[in-house]
Amino acid sequence: MRSKEEYLREAIRVSQESRAGGNHPFGAVLVGPEGELLLSAGNTVSTEHDCTGHAETNLVRLASRKYDRDFLSRCTLYSSAEPCAMCSGAIYWSGIGAMTYALSEESLYQLTGDDPENPTLRLPSREVFARGQRKVEVSGPHIENEARQAHKGFWHPNEED
């Protein structure tokens, strides 16, 4: 089984692919109970013209079609950035049992500021999950400096490296 950092690096890799494909730099992967990498999804907001096309919601849609809730309860979703309130809700409703993220919502806000492409609610995923009737294990932030790299120059194209 790989380490959580390795799975997060895979989610970051997917976020870089999303950016290269014309979307926002976010990625997510689903890891099964035995540590197997099951699915990955990137952000498709721009290319699909769908405001709900966040990496995590895209991954939840794929996972829900392929796996039952019992299996998903033993899986972990790894995300390049802390899921927003919408994505946290999708993770909760899918039955996925755990979520680990790299870049925190607050750190992301510090990168994006008031950019209209990321009108964040500034609501940590732990707060969303705390209101639910079932537990979702949360771990993060981790390797934030690595996760930030996919965002360099994206939100503020003239920023220095």
Side-chain angles (χ1 to χ4, degrees):
M1 191 177 301
R2 298 191 221 172
S3 69
K4 70 180 161 214
E5 290 81 12
E6 290 173 293
Y7 294 123
L8 287 170
R9 286 184 184 108
E10 181 62 19
I12 293 167
R13 187 191 65 71
V14 173
S15 77
Q16 292 164 332
E17 287 179 356
S18 291
R19 180 178 177 170
N23 287 290
H24 299 157
F26 299 102
V29 298
L30 185 69
V31 175
E34 304 301 319
E36 64 278 25
L37 187 60
L38 300 172
L39 297 169
S40 66
N43 182 289
T44 58
V45 167
S46 298
T47 56
E48 297 290 324
H49 307 286
D50 177 1
C51 64
T52 67
H54 293 192
E56 300 89 350
T57 54
N58 288 337
L59 187 68
V60 165
R61 284 185 196 108
L62 292 170
S64 295
R65 290 178 187 135
K66 190 166 182 167
Y67 304 107
D68 65 33
R69 288 177 63 84
D70 178 61
F71 181 76
L72 289 174
S73 73
R74 296 178 280 128
C75 293
T76 301
L77 185 147
Y78 289 84
S79 183
S80 63
E82 184 172 5
C84 70
M86 175 185 70
C87 293
S88 295
I91 292 165
Y92 176 82
W93 286 107
S94 73
I96 292 171
M99 185 273 296
T100 299
Y101 63 90
L103 189 65
S104 73
E105 175 71 15
E106 188 57 35
S107 293
L108 177 63
Y109 177 73
Q110 290 170 8
L111 290 172
T112 65
D114 63 356
D115 189 301
E117 291 293 312
N118 188 49
T120 184
L121 294 171
R122 295 180 76 180
L123 180 62
S125 58
R126 284 177 175 88
E127 288 184 37
V128 175
F129 295 135
R131 301 295 182 137
Q133 296 179 20
R134 71 171 189 83
K135 182 172 174 42
V136 178
E137 289 182 41
V138 178
S139 179
H142 303 284
I143 63 171
E144 285 194 289
N145 287 333
E146 291 180 46
R148 277 187 188 91
Q149 296 309 306
H151 296 266
K152 279 271 196 206
F154 183 85
W155 305 103
H156 307 286
N158 296 325
E159 87 182 335
E160 299 291 321
D161 283 338

